[in-house]
Amino acid sequence: MKAMVLAHTAPIETRPLAWTERPDPVCEPDEVLLEVLACGVCHTELDEIEGRLPPPSLPVILGHQVVGRIAATGPKVDRHQVGDRVGVTWLYRSCGACAFCRSGRENLCPSALWTGLTADGGYAERMVVGQDWACPLPEGLSDAEAAPLLCAGVIGYRTVRLAQVRDGQAVGLFGFGASAHLVLPVLKFQYPACRVFVFTRSPSHRSLASRLGADWVGGSEDTPPEPLDVAMDFTPVGETVARALAVSAPGARLVINAIRKTTPIGPLDYAELLWHERQICSVANVTRADAEEFLPLAGRMGLRPQVTCFAPEQANEALIALKHGQIDGAAVLRFAP
């Protein structure tokens, strides 16, 4: 098979991913073999490529928003059939036995494997995954539209859940990329009385936020119409944390949706930014339950990501565009049928 392979970490502008022949993967007894149809492109891959989240073993095939059709199954597979269309998230496998797994927090499992980081992912024509980690997908979405739901959508849904949003609150979204552009319609669907304010530098991202129903759109340094009860930080930079707290109300909750920040958070003045019971929470990975809850919700909503498609061998160009804020919505590698 052909795959975009990362053999060494480097700035994405050096185009370190190479379109390379690789051996076809082979199913273990509890695994399914996927013919990859589409794979979303994520900021986490930039962190892997540029060394902020270096893969423990190289070479590796990146990609963790994978839509595929089952081409073969291992002898113990009983949940799926050849021909089924399924998705694969960032969580490739967890141990099932540790305290985190037993308490429904497999996203924190110390032995977990992560798709495209510690297990080969979906920047390839084929991949294998355990049957329990292959997610059924809602009907009515193209392969390219389904792909961003598997990370940007699922992690955005987890962000909303950890934010403990209540209907009628003022909610701020900082950054408006792949995840935030899916969170906005989810908020409007689940909490119709909330006012949603979007902070983003990009004029095209501001336009997209307005079209998707944001109640106010401004820049990162602008002051929203009212203090925020909930803030969600989707940006790659540390400076956003202080800015989000500065425009938040007493008792507000800030949830940071990022695996790594490209710049330091910096000092936070306790009296000014944290006192009055403001809270900060990070989002770490996803669980199968997140996907099992979110994907049917997306189907009921008719949620359709805005996508820009690239051929798989153009993954370097897609990631460069993503890094420089040139993608409205989500970037997706679309494989030929």
Side-chain angles (χ1 to χ4, degrees):
M1 70 173 185
K2 283 290 194 74
M4 285 299 273
V5 177
L6 178 70
H8 63 279
T9 59
I12 187 57
E13 289 82 3
T14 67
R15 293 168 172 78
L17 296 175
W19 188 235
T20 305
E21 290 277 354
R22 294 276 289 196
D24 280 335
V26 177
C27 289
E28 295 293 331
D30 67 341
E31 291 182 333
V32 297
L33 172 68
L34 303 183
E35 293 283 351
V36 176
L37 303 171
C39 185
V41 176
C42 181
H43 270 282
T44 298
E45 278 119 42
L46 288 171
D47 291 330
E48 294 178 60
I49 292 165
E50 297 187 333
R52 292 178 295 277
L53 185 69
S57 178
L58 293 171
V60 68
I61 301 171
L62 307 183
H64 59 268
Q65 305 177 82
V66 190
V67 175
R69 196 166 299 282
I70 295 177
T73 63
K76 293 185 179 179
V77 171
D78 56 10
R79 295 187 58 182
H80 305 288
Q81 296 180 343
V82 170
D84 288 350
R85 189 178 75 150
V86 297
V88 184
T89 73
W90 173 239
L91 180 64
Y92 187 82
R93 186 180 290 268
S94 57
C95 76
C98 70
F100 292 113
C101 287
R102 294 197 311 271
S103 60
R105 296 177 293 163
E106 62 186 0
N107 59 307
L108 304 178
C109 172
S111 302
L113 298 179
W114 308 107
T115 312
L117 178 68
T118 50
D120 281 338
Y123 283 18
E125 293 174 327
R126 287 176 280 284
M127 70 170 287
V128 293
V129 68
Q131 67 162 343
D132 291 338
W133 285 268
C135 310
L137 294 172
E139 299 293 331
L141 291 173
S142 70
D143 302 326
E145 290 170 329
L149 300 182
L150 293 159
C151 177
V154 175
I155 198 72
Y157 176 77
R158 185 172 183 84
T159 301
V160 172
R161 193 159 60 76
L162 291 176
Q164 301 174 9
V165 178
R166 299 190 304 275
D167 205 14
Q169 290 183 314
V171 180
L173 307 182
F174 289 81
F176 203 70
S179 191
H181 101 285
L182 297 174
V183 165
L184 174 53
V186 169
L187 287 168
K188 288 294 186 180
F189 183 83
Q190 292 191 302
Y191 309 102
C194 279
R195 282 88 60 211
V196 182
F197 308 142
V198 172
F199 301 77
T200 181
R201 295 176 301 174
S202 165
S204 63
H205 291 183
R206 292 186 193 185
S207 177
L208 177 59
S210 295
R211 295 199 305 272
L212 292 175
D215 295 283
W216 173 89
V217 180
S220 58
E221 297 302 318
D222 290 339
T223 300
E226 60 183 293
L228 305 176
D229 300 304
V230 173
M232 303 180 197
D233 175 11
F234 299 92
T235 72
V237 295
E239 296 84 353
T240 304
V241 172
R243 180 57 191 154
L245 291 169
V247 294
S248 294
R253 187 173 181 85
L254 166 62
V255 180
I256 303 172
N257 181 337
I259 284 186
R260 294 292 185 270
K261 289 286 193 179
T262 59
T263 58
I265 290 175
L268 299 176
D269 184 278
Y270 176 79
E272 179 183 353
L273 298 178
L274 290 172
W275 195 47
H276 286 135
E277 300 188 351
R278 293 182 180 91
Q279 303 174 50
I280 301 176
C281 174
S282 70
V283 181
N285 314 312
V286 298
T287 67
R288 282 173 288 178
D290 294 325
E292 290 165 359
E293 293 173 14
F294 171 70
L295 292 172
L297 171 66
R300 293 195 301 274
M301 290 176 56
L303 184 61
R304 291 187 176 276
Q306 177 162 321
V307 297
T308 301
C309 291
F310 296 81
E313 58 269 31
Q314 296 176 309
N316 288 304
E317 282 64 38
L319 285 154
I320 291 169
L322 182 67
K323 179 178 179 178
H324 294 284
Q326 297 166 350
I327 301 293
D328 291 340
V332 174
L333 306 184
R334 184 167 57 189
F335 290 75

